[in-house]
Amino acid sequence: SQTIHQWPATLVQPVGSPLSLECTVEGTSNPNLYWYRQAAGRGLQLLFYSVGIGQISSEVPQNLSASRPQDRQFILSSKKLLLSDSGFYLCAWSVSRVAQPQHFGDGTRLSIL
Amino acid sequence: GQQLNQSPQSMFIQEGEDVSMNCTSSSIFNTWLWYKQEPGEGPVLLIALYKAGELTSNGRLTAQFGITRKDSFLNISASIPSDVGIYFCAGTGNQFYFGTGTSLTVIP
């Protein structure tokens, strides 16, 4: 069966520091991968999605970037964090066909001080 | 991006009561999905609907894909305390869209 792993589970970072969140999927090949941000436990905002290695689409302009160095690895990064980057970050995967359900990781709670 | 209109925003109910929530869109969708999210965790898929008019159950949960393909509802029968959480609908057309969530509180 397929599983998705996200780490770390929680992270506290100072303003201006770099960020790297990692997500890996097991048990499937060539998945679509997604990064979401969720504020205050409501409303998921799609940040990035990827349909293959090295292919990244950005949904909103922001201080973050994403990379997909391997088929089942998706990384969310920032060179300098802002206070507004605080939130709950979720990684998700789906099979690489249109209109298929997305399956989520357990999320990373990011707090910027 | 576009978000679906989900209602109600929040519900406070007594244990044992039935729950009903719905989701509407101005666009036609090919798939309707319902997720539950508990505090500090990612959303978990409860029910997936792939055909207009489809009615699907998962234990005490029942969801339907509206005939117009622009809406869906989720019912929970005989609620229990562990039903607490935020329920999200999602729809797919050429993209994937999430509803704004319904927060459910069950009072023992």
Side-chain angles (χ1 to χ4, degrees), chain A residues 10-56:
Chain A
T10 59
L11 189 60
V12 180
Q13 292 282 100
V15 169
S17 64
L19 173 73
S20 181
L21 302 181
E22 191 162 342
C23 173
T24 58
V25 180
E26 296 176 0
T28 186
S29 296
N30 195 31
N32 289 348
L33 296 172
Y34 310 83
W35 278 112
Y36 288 87
R37 177 166 56 205
Q38 185 178 34
R42 302 291 295 270
L44 292 95
Q45 179 188 33
L46 180 62
L47 302 176
F48 301 96
Y49 70 92
S50 171
V51 298
I53 295 174
Q55 300 179 63
I56 309 293

Side-chain angles (χ1 to χ4, degrees), chain A residues 36 38 41-44 59 88 90 98-107 109, chain B residues 3 9 31 33 35 37 40-43 45 50 86 88 92-93 96 98 100-101:
Chain A
Y36 288 87
Q38 185 178 34
R42 302 291 295 270
L44 292 95
E59 288 295 301
F88 191 50
L90 288 157
V98 175
Q100 293 301 309
Q102 295 182 15
H103 304 275
F104 289 83
D106 287 335
R109 173 72 60 193
Chain B
Q3 284 196 318
Q9 262 196 335
T31 307
L33 308 165
Y35 291 84
Q37 185 178 26
E41 299 182 9
L45 182 65
Y50 296 100
I86 300 178
F88 289 99
T92 65
F96 197 95
F98 271 99
T100 48

Side-chain angles (χ1 to χ4, degrees), chain B residues 30-74:
Chain B
N30 299 319
T31 307
W32 281 97
L33 308 165
W34 285 93
Y35 291 84
K36 178 188 177 186
Q37 185 178 26
E38 298 190 16
E41 299 182 9
V44 174
L45 182 65
L46 298 173
I47 293 177
L49 303 159
Y50 296 100
K51 189 177 173 183
E54 180 181 353
L55 185 71
T56 297
S57 293
N58 178 4
R60 293 177 295 105
L61 278 62
T62 301
Q64 184 160 31
F65 192 141
I67 291 291
T68 65
R69 295 170 63 191
K70 292 183 178 181
D71 61 351
S72 177
F73 73 75
L74 175 71

Side-chain angles (χ1 to χ4, degrees), chain A residues 54-69:
Chain A
Q55 300 179 63
I56 309 293
S57 296
S58 174
E59 288 295 301
V60 293
Q62 58 208 312
N63 185 40
L64 303 168
S65 62
S67 61
R68 184 170 177 174

